[in-house]
Amino acid sequence: MALLQLNTWTEMPVAFSRPVFSADYFDYHDGDHVVFSGPTQISGKTQLAMDLMGPIVSPTLPAYVAVSKPRDKVTSYYAKLYGWKIVREWPPQKELREFFGHKYSGYVVWPRFGDLDADAPNAQRVLGAMLRDLYAKGAKKKPKHGIVVMDDTRDKEKVVGLKGEMVQYLTMSGAMGLGEWVFVQKGSQQGDTALSAYSNAAHGFFFKDPSGRGREYIADVAGIDPNYAEWVMTQLKPRQALYVGRRGPVICIVDSDSPVGEIKERES
Ligand SMILES: Nc1ncnc2c1ncn2[C@@H]1O[C@H](COP(=O)(O)OP(=O)(O)OP(=O)(O)O)[C@@H](O)[C@H]1O
Ligand SMILES: [Mg+2]
């Protein structure tokens, strides 16, 4: 593998085109947890996760994207692009084509929004049911594998109330073939799920953090030389991410060239 090994501290890591990294270098194993960290919107965390999932997901390793905000143009766009099923409730109702053998490579689990009092408990009910169901299936003799995408993780922890479930996934479900993907907007103030994700994730993608404190924190949790990590992160270009793979361990830069480009509101 041509990724830079960890003992070279004097130059920037190799930068890979995003489609090349996703298809040829992202060594994702069923059950791996992944963490994405970077400031809201300017990073493009959701879009990078979607680009990475393209070559990985299949009916035997489907994505379960749990949404906890009323709109997300990036999620809507990719759901259409990948032909994923959008569901409001869990378990989802089967459509006719599924009775005839069609199997989805992904589900977007998107509870209804629009009622200030009911939205959070409803999201907790629907997304909680999904997490419990997949977990139970993962514990069976012939476990069902999958990728649980807990986008906007902080909202799910603090507003929706899924902290216990998300932390338990990080500590236990990897062995069941259920990987949890976690999204962090600000290095330091992100709660227990983020903390647990940093120590349990096999893969980390770190966008440029504008604050020195944030960079210091990331450098620390990324598990590589903090001075080198800080130096690399200050030089990242917009929407580039520093990749740290614990399995190697390896690091490289994943470039900003998403095949989809910028998604505008009306395209979603
Ligand atoms: N590599 C990229 N090239 C061009 N545009 C991008 C890229 N990545 C993201 N964008 C655009 O930037 C906007 C925000 O992207 P995205 O929703 O992925 O950000 P985010 O980091 O997940 O934000 P949030 O923390 O608010 O969820 C979208 O319009 C998206 O299409
Ligand atoms: Mg996002």
Side-chain angles (χ1 to χ4, degrees), residues 46 50 65 67 69 71-81 84 86 108 110 151-152 263 268:
T46 302
M50 293 292 182
V65 181
V67 187
K69 54 188 176 197
R71 291 187 61 73
D72 189 309
K73 60 186 180 206
V74 174
T75 302
S76 300
Y77 182 93
Y78 279 90
K80 209 186 271 176
L81 181 71
W84 288 348
I86 300 182
V108 175
W110 205 324
D151 204 354
D152 307 299
I263 296 160
S268 63

Side-chain angles (χ1 to χ4, degrees), residues 189-203:
Q189 316 150 341
Q190 288 288 320
D192 292 350
T193 314
L195 273 177
S196 189
Y198 283 133
S199 48
N200 285 292
H203 313 272

Side-chain angles (χ1 to χ4, degrees), residues 85-87 92-107:
K85 178 166 169 149
I86 300 182
V87 303
Q93 279 213 323
K94 269 195 180 176
E95 301 157 50
L96 196 58
R97 62 197 299 212
E98 292 177 89
F99 286 106
F100 286 96
H102 181 79
K103 288 196 167 35
Y104 285 98
S105 66
Y107 299 80

Side-chain angles (χ1 to χ4, degrees), residues 18 39-41 43-47 69 72-74 152 185 239 256 258 261-263:
R18 188 178 294 190
T40 179
Q41 295 295 306
S43 311
K45 297 181 292 299
T46 302
Q47 188 153 336
K69 54 188 176 197
D72 189 309
K73 60 186 180 206
V74 174
D152 307 299
Q185 286 174 343
R239 305 196 192 286
S256 55
S258 168
E262 187 186 348
I263 296 160

Side-chain angles (χ1 to χ4, degrees), residues 68-267:
S68 46
K69 54 188 176 197
R71 291 187 61 73
D72 189 309
K73 60 186 180 206
V74 174
T75 302
S76 300
Y77 182 93
Y78 279 90
K80 209 186 271 176
L81 181 71
Y82 292 154
W84 288 348
K85 178 166 169 149
I86 300 182
V87 303
R88 305 283 180 204
E89 289 288 337
W90 197 272
Q93 279 213 323
K94 269 195 180 176
E95 301 157 50
L96 196 58
R97 62 197 299 212
E98 292 177 89
F99 286 106
F100 286 96
H102 181 79
K103 288 196 167 35
Y104 285 98
S105 66
Y107 299 80
V108 175
V109 188
W110 205 324
R112 292 194 189 284
F113 284 92
D115 180 333
L116 189 60
D117 296 319
D119 283 357
N122 182 54
Q124 187 185 36
R125 179 182 61 78
V126 175
L127 302 178
M130 179 199 86
L131 290 173
R132 267 178 272 282
D133 183 32
L134 297 176
Y135 193 86
K137 286 180 177 143
K140 292 220 165 103
K141 241 191 187 158
K142 270 195 176 171
K144 208 173 172 319
H145 290 186
I147 296 175
V148 173
V149 182
M150 301 311 279
D151 204 354
D152 307 299
T153 309
R154 185 177 193 274
D155 296 345
K156 290 188 171 66
E157 174 163 330
K158 307 267 186 212
V159 183
V160 179
L162 293 168
K163 180 167 88 173
E165 292 86 338
M166 293 194 297
V167 171
Q168 193 162 335
Y169 258 69
L170 288 167
T171 52
M172 298 191 191
S173 71
M176 303 173 176
L178 281 170
E180 182 173 355
W181 291 25
V182 165
F183 299 73
V184 183
Q185 286 174 343
K186 237 191 238 161
S188 34
Q189 316 150 341
Q190 288 288 320
D192 292 350
T193 314
L195 273 177
S196 189
Y198 283 133
S199 48
N200 285 292
H203 313 272
F205 295 87
F206 304 100
F207 292 92
K208 187 171 189 162
D209 193 315
S211 81
R213 253 190 84 211
R215 283 197 302 276
E216 227 171 80
Y217 184 82
I218 299 286
D220 193 29
V221 294
I224 52 177
D225 183 286
N227 292 325
Y228 182 62
E230 161 100 37
W231 179 74
V232 170
M233 266 187 292
T234 48
Q235 300 191 63
L236 288 176
K237 299 195 185 99
R239 305 196 192 286
Q240 275 188 337
L242 167 65
Y243 168 69
V244 179
R246 293 246 165 85
R247 193 167 283 120
V250 287
I251 60 173
C252 70
I253 288 168
V254 180
D255 219 339
S256 55
D257 55 340
S258 168
V260 157
E262 187 186 348
I263 296 160
K264 306 240 165 61
E265 200 63 56
R266 64 189 146 72
E267 291 175 281

